[in-house]
Amino acid sequence: MQISSVNDVKIYNLSHGKSLPEWLSDRKKRALQNKDVDIQRRIELIQDFEMPTVCTSIKVSRDGQFILAAGTYKPRIRCYDTYQLSLKFERCLDSDVVAFDILSDDYSKLVFLHCNRYVEFHSQHGHYYKTRIPKFGRDFAYHYPSCDLYFVGYAYGVIMSLFAISLTDREHNVCDINPVHQLLASGTAEGKVECWDPRVRSRVGMLDCALSSVTEGTEVEGLPSVSALKFNGSLTMAVGTSTGQVLIYDLRSSRPLLVKDHYYGLPIKSVNFQDHLDLVLTADSKIIKIWNKDTGKVFSSIEPQTNINDVCIYPGSGMLFTANEDPKMNTFYIPALGPAPRWCSFLDNLTEELEESPESTVYDDYKFVTRKDLENLGLSHLVGSALLRAYMHGFFMDIRLYHKVKTMANPFAYEEYRKDKIRQKIEESRAQRVQIKKLPKVNKELALKLMEEGDDEAELSARKKKGKALPSILSDERFQVMFENPDYQVEEQSEEFRLLNPIVSKVGQKRRKKLRLLAEADQEEEEPEGRGSSDESSDDDKSWVDEVREQRRLIYEEGRDRRRQERKQKQGQQPRFFQIKAGEEFRSFGDVARKQKLQKASLEERLKLEERSGTVNVADTAVGSKQLTFTLKKHSAGNIYTKKQKSIQIKSFTFEELQMFSMRRLSDSKCSVFPERLFV
C-alpha cells in the first residue's frame, strides 16, 4: 500500500508493491513473503487482479458483484468476483476489443465490439452470437427501452443500430445515451456533438465544442476533436476534447458552463461524475483530476506510474479502478469520496488506524536554524525576540520569514537551483548513451589492452554457466600506483620492451585463442577432423622468432645511425688537429678524404678518375696492347726524377728482353729507381 496526500486528501494505492508471477508455486510464494518485507506489507485486495500484458478497458456490473476487464495480448476478457475476491473466469477472443458493455445486472449478457468489424455476444456459458457491421466501429451505446445497439464509426461517419443505418457527413469517435430521456449524443472528429432522438431516428440538434474549448491562455495546436462524452442527469453533459479540455454543458444552452483544462495537451479518455460531492473525475493518459463541476476547483489528483487507458468508479464508494499500459490494474481508495465497498469494508478500519497515528507535523510551519545560519542570514539581532524560539542547540523561526530573508540574502538562489536541475536532466540523458571508459593518465595503452582482455574474459564467463571473470588489474588496489605514478611509465621504445613485445603479444594471442577454443569446446564436444591441434602453434613460434630477429636488426641499425650522428655532432663541435710531417707540403684537408676514397675504390674506378684528372693517359698500340703514360709527383723523401723529365713510358717487352734487362742495372743517372720497382 502506498499513501499519498494531494491537496490534503489521502489517497491509498492498494495495488502498489511487487507482484508475484503466476507460475510460482505456493511454497515459493510463502518463502518470498518471509524474506521480502515489501511483499509482506503488500495488500492483495483481489487475487490475480492483472493482465498478461496490457488492460484496455474496465467496467463494474450494475449489481456491484463483478468486475470485468478487457486486455491484450492475447485478446481476452477476465471476470472477477468481489464476493470471493478472486478471478471467476477468463475467456480468450479472436481479435482485440475496441469497446465492451454489460447488458445485464451481472456478467450473464456481454457484448464486444472488435477491431475487425465483428460484434460478439456472450452469455453466461460463453460465446452466444457473432455478427458483422458494414463499417469499422469506435464506440457503441445500448438503448434499454428499445434494446437497440448504436455504433459510431469512421471512414464515412456512420451511426448504426442492428436494425437501421443513418449516414452522416462526419467522422464519429464516441457516443452516449442519456439515462433519463434517452437522447443519443455522438462526438465527431471536427469537434461537434450531434444529438439524435431514437424515436424518430433523426438528428435533432448539433453543438459546436471546438470553438468553445479555446479560451484565454489556451494554446491549441490542432483541431479539438471530441474524445470523451458523458451525461449526468437530464440536462448536464460533459465533453472531453483531444487537446485536453473538458467542457460542462447544460443542454438548454449552446455555451459551456465551465471549461477545465488539464494543461497536458493529451486527449481526454474518461469522464465520470460523483454526485454525492458534485465532483467530476476526468482522466487523460497521464493524470486523473478530481474537481468541482460548478466552480472547477481542484479537489485532488492521481498520477499513476504508467499511462492510463480507462477509469471506472465503483458505485457508491470512494474506490476506483484504472486500466493501464501495464499488466497490473491499479486500485485506488479515497476515503474523502466515500466509504469502502461492502465486500472490502475492512479498508475503513485499516485507514482509520493509519490516520490515528500520523507523523508529527507540529513544526511543519517552522524552520530550525542554528546560530551560524542566523549569522549568515544577518538575523543575529533577533535572538531573544518572539520571532525565534530556542530549542536545543538552535532556534525555530517562521518558515515564511525564513524564505523572505533567504531570498533577500541570495536573490540568485532560484537561478542556481534551475541550473542544477537542468544539469541533472542533461546527466540523466547522457546516462542513456554509450558509456565511454576513462583511461588513466599513466600507461594508457596498457590500461586499454587490459580493458579489452577483461571484456573478452567477461564475455566468455557469461557464456559459461558457473564461470566467473577474474578481477581486473585496473580494479585492484595493489596496482593503482602503476597507473598513477609517472615513474612506472612503460617505455615502449626501449630495447628490452621491443625484444619482449613480440613474445608477450604472441602469448596473449595464444591465451585468447585458448579461451576461444574452450568456448567452442563447450558448444561442440568433438574436435573437427583433419585439423591438428599443434599446426598453428608451430607457425606462431616461427612468426614470433622472425619478429624478434627483425627487431634486433632494427635496433642494430638505429644504434649505428645514432653513433654516426653522435660522431658528426662531435666533429662539428670540437676542432680536429692534423700533424704535418717533415718534408710534406700542406695543400688541403680534402686530399686526405680523396686518398681514403681512392683506397676503397676499385682499379677501374681509380683509372677513370686519374684519366679525367689528366694524370694517366691510356692509348692502344698497333699490336693490340695497351700503352699507359702517367706523371709522377713529388715524394716526401725528395725528388725521384729530374725537373726536365716529365713522364715515363711503359712499353711491352718479351720474356727474353725482360730477363736480360733484369740482369743488369740501369746506368742512366736520370733515374735511381730499381728495375724491380718498375715491373712490379
Side-chain angles (χ1 to χ4, degrees):
M1 177 187 294
Q2 184 185 29
I3 305 174
S4 60
S5 178
V6 180
N7 202 14
D8 295 333
V9 177
K10 291 290 184 66
I11 301 172
Y12 298 88
N13 186 359
L14 305 179
S15 301
H16 181 75
K18 296 181 180 179
S19 59
L20 300 177
E22 300 178 356
W23 43 266
L24 280 181
S25 62
D26 295 338
R27 182 177 180 181
K28 290 185 178 180
K29 289 182 180 179
R30 288 193 298 269
L32 288 175
Q33 289 177 357
N34 295 332
K35 294 180 182 179
D36 199 334
V37 180
D38 295 336
I39 297 178
Q40 293 177 1
R41 297 178 178 177
R42 160 178 85 100
I43 296 178
E44 192 174 8
L45 187 63
I46 301 175
Q47 188 178 5
D48 298 332
F49 195 63
E50 58 185 15
M51 282 285 175
T53 52
V54 174
C55 181
T56 57
S57 56
I58 186 169
K59 292 182 182 296
V60 179
S61 61
R62 284 196 292 272
D63 59 2
Q65 183 179 354
F66 303 99
I67 302 172
L68 289 97
T72 185
Y73 170 84
K74 298 179 179 179
R76 68 189 67 207
I77 182 74
R78 283 187 174 183
C79 179
Y80 297 91
D81 191 348
T82 57
Y83 292 171
Q84 302 296 329
L85 298 179
S86 62
L87 178 66
K88 185 173 182 64
F89 65 84
E90 177 184 12
R91 297 173 186 171
C92 290
L93 306 173
D94 295 335
S95 58
D96 291 335
V97 176
V98 177
F100 79 98
D101 198 3
I102 306 171
L103 303 183
S104 60
D105 292 341
D106 54 4
Y107 69 94
S108 58
K109 295 179 182 179
L110 305 174
V111 58
F112 300 96
L113 173 62
H114 293 279
C115 62
N116 56 357
R117 295 195 288 128
Y118 274 99
V119 179
E120 190 172 352
F121 296 89
H122 282 222
S123 61
Q124 189 172 4
H125 63 82
H127 174 74
Y128 178 75
Y129 181 72
K130 187 176 183 180
T131 186
R132 197 171 191 182
I133 56 179
K135 300 295 180 181
F136 289 95
R138 288 183 176 178
D139 196 10
F140 70 92
Y142 179 62
H143 188 242
Y144 288 95
S146 61
C147 297
D148 288 341
L149 281 174
Y150 293 94
F151 297 87
V152 294
Y154 59 100
Y156 298 102
V158 180
I159 296 181
M160 301 166 287
S161 69
L162 292 182
F163 306 102
I165 298 176
S166 300
L167 296 177
T168 65
D169 55 350
R170 291 176 180 85
E171 185 178 337
H172 295 257
N173 295 329
V174 292
C175 65
D176 192 26
I177 294 180
N178 192 293
V180 179
H181 48 70
Q182 309 300 321
L183 181 68
L184 172 64
S186 63
T188 66
E190 297 178 357
K192 297 181 180 181
V193 175
E194 296 183 357
C195 297
W196 301 71
D197 190 352
R199 297 172 297 180
V200 296
R201 298 183 183 275
S202 62
R203 187 172 63 193
V204 295
M206 187 170 61
L207 187 65
D208 190 356
C209 301
L211 187 61
S212 301
S213 63
V214 181
T215 58
E216 295 181 1
T218 304
E219 296 182 0
V220 179
E221 297 181 356
L223 180 64
S225 60
V226 179
S227 59
L229 191 64
K230 188 71 174 180
F231 280 105
N232 182 37
S234 59
L235 298 175
T236 305
M237 179 180 65
V239 179
T241 64
S242 60
T243 54
Q245 291 85 26
V246 180
L247 296 85
I248 303 297
Y249 279 95
D250 191 319
L251 294 180
R252 295 169 294 183
S253 174
S254 61
R255 295 183 179 181
L257 301 177
L258 180 67
V259 178
K260 181 68 176 178
D261 197 343
H262 272 218
Y263 296 107
Y264 282 105
L266 300 174
I268 303 298
K269 293 195 172 184
S270 174
V271 179
N272 293 279
F273 287 92
Q274 213 277 350
D275 297 331
H276 180 65
L277 298 176
D278 292 335
L279 297 177
V280 183
L281 286 82
T282 57
D284 55 22
S285 60
K286 187 176 181 61
I287 193 171
I288 303 172
K289 287 194 175 184
I290 308 172
W291 44 280
N292 189 281
K293 71 176 182 179
D294 297 327
T295 61
K297 184 179 179 180
V298 176
F299 180 78
S300 185
S301 62
I302 304 172
E303 190 171 356
Q305 296 180 354
T306 56
N307 292 339
I308 304 170
N309 290 329
D310 192 14
V311 178
C312 176
I313 301 178
Y314 194 89
S317 70
M319 180 174 290
L320 56 94
F321 307 100
T322 62
N324 314 304
E325 290 288 327
D326 191 66
K328 186 181 293 185
M329 295 178 285
N330 290 334
T331 304
F332 296 97
Y333 175 51
I334 307 175
L337 292 181
R342 185 177 59 180
W343 49 271
C344 58
S345 58
F346 59 88
L347 288 177
D348 289 331
N349 299 330
L350 182 61
T351 54
E352 287 177 1
E353 292 177 0
L354 293 175
E355 291 179 356
E356 287 177 359
S357 58
E359 296 181 358
S360 179
T361 58
V362 179
Y363 303 108
D364 284 352
D365 297 333
Y366 292 88
K367 174 69 176 177
F368 180 80
V369 292
T370 60
R371 287 185 178 271
K372 188 176 181 179
D373 296 335
L374 292 176
E375 293 176 358
N376 295 333
L377 296 174
L379 300 178
S380 302
H381 61 282
L382 295 180
V383 176
S385 63
L387 297 176
L388 297 178
R389 185 178 182 86
Y391 183 78
M392 295 180 69
H393 62 284
F395 304 90
F396 276 109
M397 65 181 300
D398 193 285
I399 189 68
R400 294 171 294 177
L401 176 62
Y402 175 78
H403 286 316
K404 288 182 180 179
V405 175
K406 190 174 181 181
T407 304
M408 294 175 63
N410 189 6
F412 301 102
Y414 175 74
E415 292 295 331
E416 295 177 358
Y417 170 78
R418 181 172 171 271
K419 290 180 181 179
D420 292 339
K421 285 293 183 182
I422 293 174
R423 193 180 300 108
Q424 291 177 3
K425 291 290 184 182
I426 293 174
E427 291 177 357
E428 290 177 358
S429 62
R430 286 177 178 173
Q432 300 176 359
R433 303 176 184 173
V434 177
Q435 298 294 329
I436 301 175
K437 298 179 181 179
K438 295 183 178 180
L439 297 176
K441 297 181 180 180
V442 183
N443 291 326
K444 293 183 179 180
E445 293 79 5
L446 179 60
L448 182 61
K449 180 180 179 182
L450 292 174
M451 286 180 182
E452 294 176 355
E453 292 179 354
D455 295 341
D456 295 339
E457 292 182 358
E459 184 179 359
L460 178 62
S461 62
R463 292 178 181 178
K464 296 182 180 180
K465 295 181 179 179
K466 299 182 179 180
K468 295 183 179 179
L470 297 176
S472 177
I473 296 178
L474 295 173
S475 59
D476 199 337
E477 297 179 355
R478 298 174 296 175
F479 301 97
Q480 288 183 356
V481 184
M482 187 171 62
F483 301 99
E484 296 175 357
N485 193 349
D487 296 337
Y488 290 90
Q489 177 67 38
V490 177
E491 298 180 358
E492 297 184 357
Q493 301 301 328
S494 62
E495 296 182 5
E496 294 81 2
F497 180 83
R498 293 175 62 181
L499 292 175
L500 289 175
N501 189 36
I503 303 175
V504 174
S505 62
K506 288 299 176 183
V507 171
Q509 292 178 4
K510 286 184 180 180
R511 183 169 57 83
R512 287 192 293 270
K513 184 183 294 183
K514 186 176 180 181
L515 293 174
R516 187 173 65 253
L517 292 175
L518 288 175
E520 293 176 357
D522 294 338
Q523 300 177 359
E524 300 179 2
E525 297 180 356
E526 297 182 358
E527 187 177 1
E529 297 180 358
R531 180 179 178 181
S533 59
S534 61
D535 294 341
E536 295 183 359
S537 61
S538 61
D539 296 339
D540 294 340
D541 296 340
K542 293 179 182 179
S543 60
W544 75 258
V545 169
D546 295 339
E547 290 183 8
V548 171
R549 289 177 179 174
E550 181 66 19
Q551 290 295 332
R552 287 184 181 276
R553 187 184 65 80
L554 294 175
I555 291 171
Y556 173 74
E557 292 180 356
E558 291 175 359
R560 186 181 61 187
D561 296 340
R562 185 172 58 255
R563 290 192 295 270
R564 185 178 300 170
Q565 291 178 0
E566 290 177 357
R567 258 195 323 270
K568 289 183 179 180
Q569 292 177 359
K570 289 180 181 179
Q571 291 175 2
Q573 295 175 358
Q574 299 178 0
R576 296 178 62 185
F577 298 94
F578 296 90
Q579 183 179 2
I580 301 176
K581 298 180 181 180
E584 291 184 355
E585 290 184 5
F586 173 75
R587 294 187 178 180
S588 65
F589 293 105
D591 295 340
V592 180
R594 278 196 298 272
K595 289 180 180 180
Q596 293 178 356
K597 186 177 181 181
L598 287 173
Q599 289 177 0
K600 295 180 180 179
S602 61
L603 178 60
E604 183 181 1
E605 293 177 354
R606 283 185 288 173
L607 291 176
K608 290 181 180 180
L609 183 62
E610 291 179 356
E611 185 179 359
R612 286 195 298 268
S613 61
T615 307
V616 180
N617 185 16
V618 181
D620 294 335
T621 60
V623 294
S625 60
K626 295 291 184 181
Q627 181 180 355
L628 185 142
T629 305
F630 59 92
T631 304
L632 297 178
K633 297 181 180 180
K634 290 184 179 180
H635 196 265
S636 60
N639 294 337
I640 61 172
Y641 57 91
T642 61
K643 294 182 179 180
K644 295 181 179 180
Q645 187 177 2
K646 299 297 182 179
S647 63
I648 299 177
Q649 293 183 356
I650 299 177
K651 298 182 179 181
S652 58
F653 299 94
T654 61
F655 181 73
E656 291 80 3
E657 291 177 347
L658 289 175
Q659 190 174 13
M660 291 175 64
F661 191 77
S662 62
M663 296 296 293
R664 55 194 177 96
R665 286 195 172 181
L666 293 174
S667 59
D668 193 356
S669 60
K670 295 181 180 180
C671 184
S672 61
V673 182
F674 292 100
E676 289 82 3
R677 291 285 182 91
L678 292 174
F679 302 103
V680 171

